[in-house]
Amino acid sequence: MSTFSGINQASRALSAAQRGMETTGQNIANVNTPGYSRQRVDQTSGVLTQTGQHVQRNVAGDGVQVTGISRVADALATATARQDAATAAEQKAAGQVWAGIESALADTGTSGLSKDLADLSSAWNDLAKAGADGADAARSLVATRTQAVVSTVTGMNDQLEGQYTGLTDQAQLLAADVNRAAASVAELNDAIRGTLAAGGTANELLDQREQLLSTLAGATGARTVQRDGGVVDVYVGNAALVSGGQSATLSIVVPAGARLGAELTVNVGGAPAAPASGALKGVLDGANTTLPKQKEALDAFATTLADRINTAVKTVAGNGDLLSTTDSAGNAVDAARNLALTGNAFQDSAAGTVDRAAAKAAVTELRTVTTAWRKEVTGIASSAQSAENRAALAEQVSLKSDAAREAVSGVNLDEEMTNLVSYQHAYSAAARVLTAIDEALDTLIRGTGVVGR
């Protein structure tokens, strides 16, 4: 070992301590940067290679070597946080769909369709008890109250249709966000691969990509596959959204002239894909499953209402239908949308009598209709509350998972200040070693051969 090897050791110690202080400063500077993962200096003791006859005994090592600056992250914690965030986003979207359905009904028992049905039943009851002088006014009130029920039902149908249109727009906005994020991930893949191949550090680029991958997971439940060179591929279902430096386009397929009941589907690069979770799945489930089921229930209610009222009215011979659920072509479809008064006049009593048979029958039939509607409202309220509870629970789980990830990757200022002091002392000590060696060498150089002169 050279007499001057101690200088090299001290120099490397100074460099390692300086790199540690710089890295600690980078961590402190980014304590509030979203998505930043703390970094640490990787170092190892230097190995003094000696072979053959030049081997020296009892020689210290070759100082310290900085082997790199690593990004602190836990792959399992990160994957869990992404998965839980995707579930939370899906449940939140589902909860919003149910909240929209509940809002469309706007039925509190004292308002909405329940009140309209109660008012209609009261009007029929008044007609059933009306005398000869009040019969015309009572029949007019029945028509008015019936029209109010019709307007409420068709209004709810319009609300559901509007919600379907809103979900379609929301799905397309999510698709646009996904495509932007996927394109950025592909660009970062190329940048990371190039940086690592050149021997550089790509920690900040990796942080940026992780944020984008979290965005993709929250929207589509996307999964990632690690490839060589620091590259990741991203899959939505079984379709590749990002492959190396290339990204495919995710699109929402909306049938021409789509209305509530038309299925929205997802394509990735022209191939069918099915998001496993995430906000997009929640939106698609709402548009393709939840809303159509509520539309079917509303159509069934409209059909039942019309059938029972018409049955009651036709207990008096000669009366026609009071309500219709057919379209302009006479097709019995879209009952809630097509529900309307026929405009037919009706008699409440058989010819030559004032038995008010039609009115009495209508009161009886409306009891059944009202009971069925209350059951429907209760079911919707229960489903909406359950969806809200699931969303809240999923959000709490996601927050805990994110906290677990942050505990590993996040910057702790107390820890960083401790590291900073440690590196500062190491730097001072290395400098003192260098000073001591310098003084020793100075003594050796100046004093050698001088003694005895």
Side-chain angles (χ1 to χ4, degrees):
M1 177 179 286
S2 168
T3 306
F4 296 93
S5 62
I7 296 177
N8 292 329
Q9 290 176 342
S11 176
R12 283 193 285 269
L14 284 171
S15 178
Q18 181 179 355
R19 190 62 56 85
M21 287 188 287
E22 291 171 350
T23 303
T24 302
Q26 172 74 351
N27 289 340
I28 293 172
N30 288 280
V31 64
N32 294 317
T33 301
Y36 178 81
S37 296
R38 65 187 177 93
Q39 301 176 22
R40 70 183 174 201
V41 176
D42 296 326
Q43 59 187 50
T44 184
S45 59
V47 177
L48 183 63
T49 303
Q50 300 185 84
T51 58
Q53 62 180 344
H54 300 293
V55 173
Q56 301 181 43
R57 295 181 181 276
N58 304 320
V59 176
D62 199 26
V64 65
Q65 291 183 346
V66 174
T67 58
I69 298 177
S70 62
R71 176 174 168 273
V72 180
D74 186 319
L76 178 59
T78 299
T80 301
R82 280 187 199 153
Q83 181 178 355
D84 290 343
T87 301
E90 178 186 350
Q91 294 301 330
K92 180 180 179 180
Q96 290 172 340
V97 170
W98 277 107
I101 292 171
E102 195 172 29
S103 177
L105 295 181
D107 196 316
T108 64
T110 57
S111 64
L113 186 55
S114 291
K115 183 177 184 303
D116 291 338
L117 289 172
D119 291 344
L120 178 58
S121 181
S122 177
W124 279 108
N125 192 52
D126 290 345
L127 179 57
K129 298 176 181 178
D133 294 340
D136 290 339
R139 276 192 292 270
S140 177
L141 182 60
V142 165
T144 300
R145 296 284 172 81
T146 302
Q147 182 58 56
V149 170
V150 168
S151 297
T152 300
V153 171
T154 55
M156 287 190 294
N157 182 80
D158 292 342
Q159 290 283 333
L160 293 178
E161 291 277 5
Q163 192 174 355
Y164 174 83
T165 301
L167 290 177
T168 301
D169 294 340
Q170 186 178 350
Q172 291 173 330
L173 288 174
L174 284 170
D177 291 341
V178 165
N179 289 329
R180 283 192 291 269
S184 296
V185 168
E187 292 175 2
L188 286 169
N189 272 344
D190 283 339
I192 290 168
R193 178 164 45 197
T195 300
L196 294 179
T201 301
N203 291 335
E204 284 73 20
L205 296 176
L206 290 169
D207 284 342
Q208 293 177 32
R209 190 176 68 183
E210 284 300 324
Q211 278 195 290
L212 292 168
L213 292 176
S214 295
T215 297
L216 292 175
T220 65
R223 58 186 177 88
T224 60
V225 178
Q226 191 73 38
R227 303 298 185 192
D228 293 337
V231 172
V232 296
D233 292 344
V234 182
Y235 291 85
V236 175
N238 293 321
L241 181 63
V242 178
S243 181
Q246 301 294 323
S247 65
T249 299
L250 183 146
S251 58
I252 307 299
V253 181
V254 183
R259 286 177 47 201
L260 178 54
E263 184 177 9
L264 305 180
T265 56
V266 176
N267 278 357
V268 173
S277 57
L280 185 56
K281 184 176 187 298
V283 169
L284 293 177
D285 286 348
N288 295 336
T289 304
T290 307
L291 284 181
K293 285 184 178 179
Q294 296 309 308
K295 165 67 173 171
E296 289 175 5
L298 188 60
D299 284 341
F301 170 79
T303 300
T304 299
L305 173 66
D307 289 346
R308 289 190 173 273
I309 292 295
N310 290 338
T311 298
V313 169
K314 287 192 286 189
T315 56
V316 175
N319 282 340
D321 289 340
L322 183 63
L323 293 172
S324 171
T325 57
T326 59
D327 61 16
S328 57
N331 299 314
V333 294
D334 228 353
R337 186 168 183 263
N338 294 316
L339 182 65
L341 282 168
T342 61
N344 294 332
F346 70 93
Q347 297 299 320
D348 55 80
S349 302
T353 71
V354 287
D355 57 8
R356 312 293 187 214
K360 293 175 182 178
V363 170
T364 301
E365 296 290 357
L366 278 171
R367 289 196 190 100
T368 302
V369 171
T370 301
T371 299
W373 176 248
R374 286 174 180 168
K375 182 178 179 181
E376 181 68 21
V377 170
T378 301
I380 291 174
S382 176
S383 296
Q385 184 62 55
S386 295
E388 183 180 349
N389 292 341
R390 287 194 299 271
L393 178 60
E395 179 65 19
Q396 290 301 314
V397 172
S398 177
L399 289 174
K400 289 181 180 179
S401 296
D402 192 60
R405 182 199 62 79
E406 188 68 16
V408 176
S409 301
V411 176
N412 184 307
L413 286 178
D414 291 337
E415 181 180 346
E416 297 302 326
M417 291 304 295
T418 300
N419 291 340
L420 187 61
V421 171
S422 176
Y423 286 126
Q424 183 182 13
H425 287 172
Y427 191 91
S428 298
R432 186 68 189 90
V433 169
L434 191 61
T435 300
I437 293 174
D438 177 63
E439 291 175 352
L441 289 174
D442 182 70
T443 299
L444 178 64
I445 293 171
R446 291 178 180 276
T448 300
V450 174
V451 177
R453 286 185 183 180

